[in-house]
Amino acid sequence: MENSIDKRKIFIASIFIIALKSIFFFTKHIQEDALITWRVARNIIEFGVYGYNGAEKISASTTHLYVFVGVIFQTIFGEGNFIYPLLIFNTILLTIGIYWLGKLFFNSSTKIILFILFVSFLPPAIKMSILGMEFGILFFFYIALIKFGFVERKKWAFIVFPILILWTRIDTSIFLGLLFIYDVIQNRKWNTALMIGGILAILSTVAFNWFYFGEIVNNTITSKKNNYPSADFAERINQFTYFGPNYFGIIKFPTSLYNFSTIILFLISLGCLVLLKNKLKDNRTKVITFLFLYGFFKTIIFGFANSWFDWYYWIPQIFLFLPIIVFVLDLEKFKQASIAYFIIIFIPFTAYQAVHSIATGHGEWNHARKIGLYLDSIEPNKNKYIFLEPAGYIPYFSKLKVIDYVGLVDKRLTEENIVKNGIEVGFSNLINKAKPDYILEDYKPMFQGKLKDKTIYDDYELIKEFKISNVAESDNPILDKIYKFKPSGRDFYLYKRKSTAK
């Protein structure tokens, strides 16, 4: 059995794996929220202001650090050419994190390479590479803290990485808090360095938000809290049992049905974890147990909070699935087991994600993006406002100023107290006060005719319909089947204020 690590062999294999995964870039599957972050970065370059609509300060992104990374890449490569270099950068950091993790578990080059391959092509790991969000960087920071801090006990790591982690996402406080508790239990003493790192992380992020934006937490968190109706305990339980099985699994099926396959995989992974605890020694047992526990508790916490955005669960999904991969590679006959894994899990999961990314990327790039380009072509005045949801593709490519239905990029909606007054009243008040030049809606008539102030319907006229059925087809029979099997997108109707109509 191979007992030494050939770094050159691993490096070459990693380059090949990154290149192979980069094929997914051609699906043009980019998450809407990445485009929000990139527009905030663009706003800093053009106006010198951390905001979304010109010179107005607003924390419209959930990730401060990734915004500044976006500024660097857009400055170097330009507005139209930065996306793929940034995606490759994210993928490289994700791969380094996977390599570090593999090196903690194995002392064989072959096993580390297989580990990198298997983890890199899990559906959430593919999405962390190609969707343009900050989770590839966040995974890198997580594993760096585990490697240099938790395992190697370097004090500087306990101080530096919590700051970088919390600046990447505020909800990473769950990871840091759980790691602190787990570390205290394992070592039976307080981790002063990690405490200092956590305190500095909290103070620095809160201080930045307060002194720059005049708020404690990001506007994205505040707007969701204020504009999404809260659920009681019974409703949260129902939501969790309805959606939870999909989010505990390594893949999310395009259905709301109770997904028993993900429960089975979770139980298999839990069984592998129990078996590994009897086989692995020292840090390997501690690391894989902590990562699994974090994945479990993060999913439980966000699930009961009714936070059902896919990206919240990508890293937890990987950590929950990790014991299966480690168990396969830790077997004495790991080569035969790896072949079985490749056939039973690797190929189906990768194929599933390919279908998902092809369909979703096509719908967003050739539907939502083209709506944005259409608006860009008909409206040269970029100081005009559009009222829509979501604030992703369409605002990014239209370059218009934006008010979104949740209030992520403009605070005026929050002032209307949607939860208390209702959408019909809140939207009516906002439209009458802001007088957006365009409204992009899912329905005809606008807002299904449910606005409280009916006079608004006289102020706007329908100028364009964008049907998803017009793009959910292809001359290529395989692509046509994929688009019809998993249609992505919805119909949009563009309304223009009559006073500005041509």
Side-chain angles (χ1 to χ4, degrees), residues 113-152:
I113 290 169
L114 287 172
F115 182 83
I116 295 171
L117 176 67
F118 291 163
V119 176
S120 293
F121 276 86
L122 291 175
I126 293 173
K127 288 183 280 191
M128 285 159 62
S129 292
I130 68 171
L131 265 68
M133 296 184 72
E134 65 274 11
F135 291 93
I137 296 175
L138 183 58
F139 186 92
F140 171 82
F141 288 150
Y142 276 174
I143 305 306
L145 178 56
I146 294 294
K147 171 181 167 55
F148 296 107
F150 184 74
V151 174
E152 299 182 9

mmCIF file of all heavy atoms in Angstrom, residues 113-152:
data_model
loop_
_atom_site.group_PDB
_atom_site.id
_atom_site.type_symbol
_atom_site.label_atom_id
_atom_site.label_comp_id
_atom_site.label_asym_id
_atom_site.label_seq_id
_atom_site.Cartn_x
_atom_site.Cartn_y
_atom_site.Cartn_z
ATOM 1 N N ILE A 113 -5.970 11.950 -3.972
ATOM 2 C CA ILE A 113 -6.462 12.331 -5.307
ATOM 3 C C ILE A 113 -7.907 11.892 -5.474
ATOM 4 O O ILE A 113 -8.755 12.659 -5.969
ATOM 5 C CB ILE A 113 -5.567 11.728 -6.399
ATOM 6 C CG1 ILE A 113 -4.193 12.420 -6.403
ATOM 7 C CG2 ILE A 113 -6.227 11.864 -7.775
ATOM 8 C CD1 ILE A 113 -3.161 11.726 -7.259
ATOM 9 N N LEU A 114 -8.213 10.650 -5.080
ATOM 10 C CA LEU A 114 -9.592 10.177 -5.177
ATOM 11 C C LEU A 114 -10.516 10.994 -4.281
ATOM 12 O O LEU A 114 -11.659 11.303 -4.654
ATOM 13 C CB LEU A 114 -9.663 8.695 -4.801
ATOM 14 C CG LEU A 114 -9.088 7.709 -5.829
ATOM 15 C CD1 LEU A 114 -9.039 6.300 -5.247
ATOM 16 C CD2 LEU A 114 -9.911 7.725 -7.115
ATOM 17 N N PHE A 115 -10.024 11.356 -3.109
ATOM 18 C CA PHE A 115 -10.805 12.191 -2.199
ATOM 19 C C PHE A 115 -11.118 13.544 -2.841
ATOM 20 O O PHE A 115 -12.259 14.015 -2.800
ATOM 21 C CB PHE A 115 -10.034 12.386 -0.894
ATOM 22 C CG PHE A 115 -10.771 13.195 0.136
ATOM 23 C CD1 PHE A 115 -11.708 12.600 0.964
ATOM 24 C CD2 PHE A 115 -10.506 14.549 0.297
ATOM 25 C CE1 PHE A 115 -12.384 13.344 1.922
ATOM 26 C CE2 PHE A 115 -11.184 15.301 1.245
ATOM 27 C CZ PHE A 115 -12.126 14.698 2.060
ATOM 28 N N ILE A 116 -10.105 14.175 -3.437
ATOM 29 C CA ILE A 116 -10.313 15.461 -4.115
ATOM 30 C C ILE A 116 -11.321 15.304 -5.246
ATOM 31 O O ILE A 116 -12.228 16.132 -5.416
ATOM 32 C CB ILE A 116 -8.983 16.017 -4.658
ATOM 33 C CG1 ILE A 116 -8.034 16.343 -3.497
ATOM 34 C CG2 ILE A 116 -9.219 17.268 -5.508
ATOM 35 C CD1 ILE A 116 -6.620 16.691 -3.943
ATOM 36 N N LEU A 117 -11.199 14.229 -6.019
ATOM 37 C CA LEU A 117 -12.116 13.989 -7.141
ATOM 38 C C LEU A 117 -13.543 13.791 -6.648
ATOM 39 O O LEU A 117 -14.479 14.434 -7.152
ATOM 40 C CB LEU A 117 -11.658 12.757 -7.927
ATOM 41 C CG LEU A 117 -12.563 12.309 -9.082
ATOM 42 C CD1 LEU A 117 -12.571 13.355 -10.197
ATOM 43 C CD2 LEU A 117 -12.134 10.951 -9.610
ATOM 44 N N PHE A 118 -13.718 12.925 -5.664
ATOM 45 C CA PHE A 118 -15.061 12.593 -5.199
ATOM 46 C C PHE A 118 -15.750 13.782 -4.537
ATOM 47 O O PHE A 118 -16.932 14.038 -4.788
ATOM 48 C CB PHE A 118 -15.010 11.407 -4.226
ATOM 49 C CG PHE A 118 -14.635 10.096 -4.869
ATOM 50 C CD1 PHE A 118 -14.203 9.020 -4.101
ATOM 51 C CD2 PHE A 118 -14.701 9.927 -6.248
ATOM 52 C CE1 PHE A 118 -13.863 7.806 -4.687
ATOM 53 C CE2 PHE A 118 -14.361 8.722 -6.846
ATOM 54 C CZ PHE A 118 -13.935 7.660 -6.062
ATOM 55 N N VAL A 119 -15.018 14.522 -3.704
ATOM 56 C CA VAL A 119 -15.623 15.673 -3.029
ATOM 57 C C VAL A 119 -15.881 16.807 -4.027
ATOM 58 O O VAL A 119 -16.930 17.463 -3.980
ATOM 59 C CB VAL A 119 -14.736 16.165 -1.868
ATOM 60 C CG1 VAL A 119 -15.335 17.423 -1.234
ATOM 61 C CG2 VAL A 119 -14.581 15.073 -0.812
ATOM 62 N N SER A 120 -14.949 17.027 -4.940
ATOM 63 C CA SER A 120 -15.077 18.129 -5.908
ATOM 64 C C SER A 120 -16.300 17.991 -6.803
ATOM 65 O O SER A 120 -16.852 18.995 -7.264
ATOM 66 C CB SER A 120 -13.822 18.214 -6.785
ATOM 67 O OG SER A 120 -12.692 18.589 -6.036
ATOM 68 N N PHE A 121 -16.733 16.754 -7.043
ATOM 69 C CA PHE A 121 -17.860 16.537 -7.951
ATOM 70 C C PHE A 121 -19.160 16.206 -7.231
ATOM 71 O O PHE A 121 -20.134 15.799 -7.868
ATOM 72 C CB PHE A 121 -17.514 15.452 -8.974
ATOM 73 C CG PHE A 121 -16.750 15.990 -10.152
ATOM 74 C CD1 PHE A 121 -15.368 16.109 -10.094
ATOM 75 C CD2 PHE A 121 -17.398 16.424 -11.292
ATOM 76 C CE1 PHE A 121 -14.657 16.613 -11.161
ATOM 77 C CE2 PHE A 121 -16.701 16.945 -12.374
ATOM 78 C CZ PHE A 121 -15.320 17.039 -12.310
ATOM 79 N N LEU A 122 -19.195 16.388 -5.920
ATOM 80 C CA LEU A 122 -20.487 16.370 -5.256
ATOM 81 C C LEU A 122 -21.297 17.565 -5.757
ATOM 82 O O LEU A 122 -20.732 18.653 -5.954
ATOM 83 C CB LEU A 122 -20.309 16.452 -3.737
ATOM 84 C CG LEU A 122 -19.688 15.233 -3.053
ATOM 85 C CD1 LEU A 122 -19.464 15.529 -1.570
ATOM 86 C CD2 LEU A 122 -20.548 13.993 -3.226
ATOM 87 N N PRO A 123 -22.586 17.424 -5.975
ATOM 88 C CA PRO A 123 -23.379 18.538 -6.525
ATOM 89 C C PRO A 123 -23.189 19.878 -5.820
ATOM 90 O O PRO A 123 -23.007 20.897 -6.495
ATOM 91 C CB PRO A 123 -24.815 18.007 -6.419
ATOM 92 C CG PRO A 123 -24.664 16.542 -6.607
ATOM 93 C CD PRO A 123 -23.383 16.182 -5.894
ATOM 94 N N PRO A 124 -23.202 19.947 -4.470
ATOM 95 C CA PRO A 124 -22.971 21.259 -3.850
ATOM 96 C C PRO A 124 -21.566 21.807 -4.102
ATOM 97 O O PRO A 124 -21.375 23.020 -4.191
ATOM 98 C CB PRO A 124 -23.203 21.007 -2.353
ATOM 99 C CG PRO A 124 -23.111 19.533 -2.170
ATOM 100 C CD PRO A 124 -23.552 18.926 -3.455
ATOM 101 N N ALA A 125 -20.558 20.923 -4.237
ATOM 102 C CA ALA A 125 -19.196 21.385 -4.525
ATOM 103 C C ALA A 125 -19.101 21.928 -5.945
ATOM 104 O O ALA A 125 -18.360 22.883 -6.207
ATOM 105 C CB ALA A 125 -18.195 20.247 -4.323
ATOM 106 N N ILE A 126 -19.839 21.329 -6.862
ATOM 107 C CA ILE A 126 -19.895 21.857 -8.236
ATOM 108 C C ILE A 126 -20.535 23.237 -8.220
ATOM 109 O O ILE A 126 -20.021 24.189 -8.830
ATOM 110 C CB ILE A 126 -20.686 20.903 -9.154
ATOM 111 C CG1 ILE A 126 -19.937 19.580 -9.325
ATOM 112 C CG2 ILE A 126 -20.937 21.556 -10.524
ATOM 113 C CD1 ILE A 126 -20.722 18.515 -10.066
ATOM 114 N N LYS A 127 -21.630 23.385 -7.476
ATOM 115 C CA LYS A 127 -22.304 24.685 -7.406
ATOM 116 C C LYS A 127 -21.418 25.726 -6.729
ATOM 117 O O LYS A 127 -21.440 26.904 -7.098
ATOM 118 C CB LYS A 127 -23.635 24.526 -6.665
ATOM 119 C CG LYS A 127 -24.685 23.796 -7.483
ATOM 120 C CD LYS A 127 -26.035 23.705 -6.794
ATOM 121 C CE LYS A 127 -26.084 22.624 -5.772
ATOM 122 N NZ LYS A 127 -27.467 22.360 -5.288
ATOM 123 N N MET A 128 -20.619 25.304 -5.749
ATOM 124 C CA MET A 128 -19.710 26.234 -5.082
ATOM 125 C C MET A 128 -18.626 26.733 -6.024
ATOM 126 O O MET A 128 -18.020 27.781 -5.784
ATOM 127 C CB MET A 128 -19.081 25.563 -3.862
ATOM 128 C CG MET A 128 -20.050 25.450 -2.689
ATOM 129 S SD MET A 128 -19.589 24.191 -1.480
ATOM 130 C CE MET A 128 -18.017 24.808 -0.923
ATOM 131 N N SER A 129 -18.371 26.001 -7.095
ATOM 132 C CA SER A 129 -17.361 26.405 -8.073
ATOM 133 C C SER A 129 -17.939 27.291 -9.172
ATOM 134 O O SER A 129 -17.306 28.245 -9.608
ATOM 135 C CB SER A 129 -16.731 25.166 -8.726
ATOM 136 O OG SER A 129 -15.956 24.451 -7.804
ATOM 137 N N ILE A 130 -19.164 26.967 -9.624
ATOM 138 C CA ILE A 130 -19.640 27.590 -10.862
ATOM 139 C C ILE A 130 -20.695 28.670 -10.651
ATOM 140 O O ILE A 130 -20.928 29.471 -11.559
ATOM 141 C CB ILE A 130 -20.205 26.526 -11.841
ATOM 142 C CG1 ILE A 130 -21.499 25.917 -11.296
ATOM 143 C CG2 ILE A 130 -19.176 25.462 -12.135
ATOM 144 C CD1 ILE A 130 -22.219 25.025 -12.297
ATOM 145 N N LEU A 131 -21.343 28.715 -9.485
ATOM 146 C CA LEU A 131 -22.444 29.654 -9.325
ATOM 147 C C LEU A 131 -22.011 31.052 -8.936
ATOM 148 O O LEU A 131 -22.838 31.953 -8.811
ATOM 149 C CB LEU A 131 -23.472 29.120 -8.312
ATOM 150 C CG LEU A 131 -24.645 28.370 -8.964
ATOM 151 C CD1 LEU A 131 -24.190 27.066 -9.597
ATOM 152 C CD2 LEU A 131 -25.755 28.110 -7.962
ATOM 153 N N GLY A 132 -20.707 31.240 -8.713
ATOM 154 C CA GLY A 132 -20.195 32.591 -8.520
ATOM 155 C C GLY A 132 -20.327 33.151 -7.128
ATOM 156 O O GLY A 132 -19.988 34.309 -6.888
ATOM 157 N N MET A 133 -20.803 32.345 -6.174
ATOM 158 C CA MET A 133 -20.979 32.848 -4.813
ATOM 159 C C MET A 133 -19.726 32.610 -3.969
ATOM 160 O O MET A 133 -18.739 32.051 -4.449
ATOM 161 C CB MET A 133 -22.224 32.236 -4.196
ATOM 162 C CG MET A 133 -23.497 32.646 -4.939
ATOM 163 S SD MET A 133 -25.013 32.048 -4.183
ATOM 164 C CE MET A 133 -25.106 33.099 -2.730
ATOM 165 N N GLU A 134 -19.793 33.002 -2.721
ATOM 166 C CA GLU A 134 -18.605 33.078 -1.877
ATOM 167 C C GLU A 134 -18.247 31.781 -1.174
ATOM 168 O O GLU A 134 -17.292 31.744 -0.394
ATOM 169 C CB GLU A 134 -18.804 34.169 -0.812
ATOM 170 C CG GLU A 134 -19.908 33.892 0.186
ATOM 171 C CD GLU A 134 -21.289 34.333 -0.256
ATOM 172 O OE1 GLU A 134 -21.464 34.686 -1.445
ATOM 173 O OE2 GLU A 134 -22.201 34.330 0.587
ATOM 174 N N PHE A 135 -18.956 30.690 -1.442
ATOM 175 C CA PHE A 135 -18.809 29.504 -0.611
ATOM 176 C C PHE A 135 -17.542 28.699 -0.893
ATOM 177 O O PHE A 135 -17.108 27.931 -0.039
ATOM 178 C CB PHE A 135 -20.059 28.637 -0.732
ATOM 179 C CG PHE A 135 -21.253 29.288 -0.092
ATOM 180 C CD1 PHE A 135 -22.116 30.067 -0.842
ATOM 181 C CD2 PHE A 135 -21.475 29.177 1.270
ATOM 182 C CE1 PHE A 135 -23.196 30.695 -0.252
ATOM 183 C CE2 PHE A 135 -22.545 29.798 1.874
ATOM 184 C CZ PHE A 135 -23.414 30.569 1.109
ATOM 185 N N GLY A 136 -16.947 28.840 -2.063
ATOM 186 C CA GLY A 136 -15.651 28.216 -2.301
ATOM 187 C C GLY A 136 -14.586 28.828 -1.415
ATOM 188 O O GLY A 136 -13.757 28.121 -0.815
ATOM 189 N N ILE A 137 -14.613 30.160 -1.304
ATOM 190 C CA ILE A 137 -13.681 30.866 -0.419
ATOM 191 C C ILE A 137 -13.964 30.507 1.036
ATOM 192 O O ILE A 137 -13.032 30.280 1.828
ATOM 193 C CB ILE A 137 -13.789 32.387 -0.637
ATOM 194 C CG1 ILE A 137 -13.346 32.753 -2.058
ATOM 195 C CG2 ILE A 137 -12.982 33.162 0.388
ATOM 196 C CD1 ILE A 137 -13.531 34.216 -2.396
ATOM 197 N N LEU A 138 -15.247 30.446 1.391
ATOM 198 C CA LEU A 138 -15.617 30.141 2.769
ATOM 199 C C LEU A 138 -15.175 28.733 3.164
ATOM 200 O O LEU A 138 -14.662 28.526 4.275
ATOM 201 C CB LEU A 138 -17.126 30.278 2.941
ATOM 202 C CG LEU A 138 -17.672 30.070 4.360
ATOM 203 C CD1 LEU A 138 -17.014 31.055 5.330
ATOM 204 C CD2 LEU A 138 -19.184 30.222 4.380
ATOM 205 N N PHE A 139 -15.331 27.759 2.264
ATOM 206 C CA PHE A 139 -14.870 26.392 2.526
ATOM 207 C C PHE A 139 -13.358 26.387 2.784
ATOM 208 O O PHE A 139 -12.875 25.719 3.699
ATOM 209 C CB PHE A 139 -15.207 25.493 1.338
ATOM 210 C CG PHE A 139 -14.905 24.043 1.554
ATOM 211 C CD1 PHE A 139 -15.877 23.179 2.048
ATOM 212 C CD2 PHE A 139 -13.661 23.521 1.246
ATOM 213 C CE1 PHE A 139 -15.601 21.834 2.256
ATOM 214 C CE2 PHE A 139 -13.363 22.182 1.449
ATOM 215 C CZ PHE A 139 -14.342 21.338 1.953
ATOM 216 N N PHE A 140 -12.635 27.148 1.978
ATOM 217 C CA PHE A 140 -11.183 27.270 2.130
ATOM 218 C C PHE A 140 -10.836 27.791 3.530
ATOM 219 O O PHE A 140 -9.965 27.253 4.218
ATOM 220 C CB PHE A 140 -10.640 28.209 1.050
ATOM 221 C CG PHE A 140 -9.201 28.586 1.218
ATOM 222 C CD1 PHE A 140 -8.186 27.751 0.784
ATOM 223 C CD2 PHE A 140 -8.855 29.798 1.803
ATOM 224 C CE1 PHE A 140 -6.846 28.098 0.930
ATOM 225 C CE2 PHE A 140 -7.528 30.165 1.958
ATOM 226 C CZ PHE A 140 -6.525 29.307 1.520
ATOM 227 N N PHE A 141 -11.540 28.842 3.984
ATOM 228 C CA PHE A 141 -11.282 29.402 5.312
ATOM 229 C C PHE A 141 -11.642 28.413 6.414
ATOM 230 O O PHE A 141 -10.927 28.301 7.423
ATOM 231 C CB PHE A 141 -12.061 30.703 5.507
ATOM 232 C CG PHE A 141 -11.529 31.864 4.714
ATOM 233 C CD1 PHE A 141 -12.379 32.870 4.265
ATOM 234 C CD2 PHE A 141 -10.181 31.978 4.429
ATOM 235 C CE1 PHE A 141 -11.904 33.956 3.545
ATOM 236 C CE2 PHE A 141 -9.682 33.053 3.704
ATOM 237 C CZ PHE A 141 -10.558 34.041 3.260
ATOM 238 N N TYR A 142 -12.780 27.728 6.258
ATOM 239 C CA TYR A 142 -13.189 26.740 7.253
ATOM 240 C C TYR A 142 -12.096 25.686 7.458
ATOM 241 O O TYR A 142 -11.701 25.383 8.589
ATOM 242 C CB TYR A 142 -14.469 26.030 6.797
ATOM 243 C CG TYR A 142 -15.767 26.744 7.116
ATOM 244 C CD1 TYR A 142 -16.972 26.264 6.637
ATOM 245 C CD2 TYR A 142 -15.800 27.887 7.908
ATOM 246 C CE1 TYR A 142 -18.182 26.889 6.923
ATOM 247 C CE2 TYR A 142 -16.992 28.530 8.195
ATOM 248 C CZ TYR A 142 -18.181 28.021 7.698
ATOM 249 O OH TYR A 142 -19.369 28.643 7.988
ATOM 250 N N ILE A 143 -11.644 25.110 6.350
ATOM 251 C CA ILE A 143 -10.663 24.018 6.448
ATOM 252 C C ILE A 143 -9.304 24.557 6.895
ATOM 253 O O ILE A 143 -8.554 23.866 7.602
ATOM 254 C CB ILE A 143 -10.552 23.260 5.118
ATOM 255 C CG1 ILE A 143 -11.932 22.757 4.679
ATOM 256 C CG2 ILE A 143 -9.579 22.088 5.251
ATOM 257 C CD1 ILE A 143 -12.653 21.923 5.730
ATOM 258 N N ALA A 144 -8.977 25.790 6.507
ATOM 259 C CA ALA A 144 -7.727 26.398 6.977
ATOM 260 C C ALA A 144 -7.741 26.534 8.494
ATOM 261 O O ALA A 144 -6.731 26.268 9.167
ATOM 262 C CB ALA A 144 -7.540 27.764 6.322
ATOM 263 N N LEU A 145 -8.894 26.936 9.057
ATOM 264 C CA LEU A 145 -9.001 27.048 10.510
ATOM 265 C C LEU A 145 -8.898 25.670 11.171
ATOM 266 O O LEU A 145 -8.254 25.518 12.214
ATOM 267 C CB LEU A 145 -10.329 27.710 10.881
ATOM 268 C CG LEU A 145 -10.623 27.864 12.384
ATOM 269 C CD1 LEU A 145 -9.510 28.626 13.095
ATOM 270 C CD2 LEU A 145 -11.971 28.555 12.593
ATOM 271 N N ILE A 146 -9.510 24.662 10.548
ATOM 272 C CA ILE A 146 -9.415 23.297 11.072
ATOM 273 C C ILE A 146 -7.971 22.797 11.035
ATOM 274 O O ILE A 146 -7.449 22.258 12.020
ATOM 275 C CB ILE A 146 -10.325 22.341 10.267
ATOM 276 C CG1 ILE A 146 -11.798 22.691 10.475
ATOM 277 C CG2 ILE A 146 -10.052 20.882 10.656
ATOM 278 C CD1 ILE A 146 -12.310 22.473 11.868
ATOM 279 N N LYS A 147 -7.316 22.998 9.890
ATOM 280 C CA LYS A 147 -5.956 22.478 9.698
ATOM 281 C C LYS A 147 -4.938 23.197 10.592
ATOM 282 O O LYS A 147 -4.233 22.562 11.395
ATOM 283 C CB LYS A 147 -5.539 22.617 8.223
ATOM 284 C CG LYS A 147 -4.069 22.317 7.953
ATOM 285 C CD LYS A 147 -3.720 22.506 6.486
ATOM 286 C CE LYS A 147 -2.217 22.533 6.242
ATOM 287 N NZ LYS A 147 -1.507 21.354 6.753
ATOM 288 N N PHE A 148 -4.847 24.519 10.447
ATOM 289 C CA PHE A 148 -3.798 25.260 11.142
ATOM 290 C C PHE A 148 -4.146 25.544 12.607
ATOM 291 O O PHE A 148 -3.254 25.675 13.443
ATOM 292 C CB PHE A 148 -3.503 26.570 10.412
ATOM 293 C CG PHE A 148 -2.954 26.378 9.024
ATOM 294 C CD1 PHE A 148 -3.735 26.631 7.907
ATOM 295 C CD2 PHE A 148 -1.664 25.921 8.831
ATOM 296 C CE1 PHE A 148 -3.238 26.454 6.632
ATOM 297 C CE2 PHE A 148 -1.148 25.736 7.564
ATOM 298 C CZ PHE A 148 -1.940 25.997 6.458
ATOM 299 N N GLY A 149 -5.458 25.660 12.883
ATOM 300 C CA GLY A 149 -5.867 25.953 14.238
ATOM 301 C C GLY A 149 -6.192 24.707 15.036
ATOM 302 O O GLY A 149 -5.448 24.303 15.930
ATOM 303 N N PHE A 150 -7.295 24.060 14.702
ATOM 304 C CA PHE A 150 -7.797 22.934 15.486
ATOM 305 C C PHE A 150 -6.813 21.767 15.550
ATOM 306 O O PHE A 150 -6.640 21.145 16.605
ATOM 307 C CB PHE A 150 -9.135 22.469 14.908
ATOM 308 C CG PHE A 150 -9.793 21.370 15.691
ATOM 309 C CD1 PHE A 150 -10.404 21.635 16.907
ATOM 310 C CD2 PHE A 150 -9.802 20.076 15.212
ATOM 311 C CE1 PHE A 150 -11.006 20.617 17.639
ATOM 312 C CE2 PHE A 150 -10.400 19.044 15.934
ATOM 313 C CZ PHE A 150 -11.003 19.326 17.152
ATOM 314 N N VAL A 151 -6.147 21.452 14.423
ATOM 315 C CA VAL A 151 -5.239 20.302 14.379
ATOM 316 C C VAL A 151 -3.815 20.694 14.781
ATOM 317 O O VAL A 151 -3.216 20.085 15.676
ATOM 318 C CB VAL A 151 -5.241 19.651 12.977
ATOM 319 C CG1 VAL A 151 -4.194 18.541 12.890
ATOM 320 C CG2 VAL A 151 -6.624 19.091 12.662
ATOM 321 N N GLU A 152 -3.263 21.731 14.128
ATOM 322 C CA GLU A 152 -1.861 22.085 14.368
ATOM 323 C C GLU A 152 -1.665 23.054 15.531
ATOM 324 O O GLU A 152 -0.523 23.338 15.909
ATOM 325 C CB GLU A 152 -1.256 22.658 13.079
ATOM 326 C CG GLU A 152 -1.274 21.660 11.920
ATOM 327 C CD GLU A 152 -0.637 22.213 10.650
ATOM 328 O OE1 GLU A 152 -0.032 23.315 10.718
ATOM 329 O OE2 GLU A 152 -0.752 21.553 9.602
#
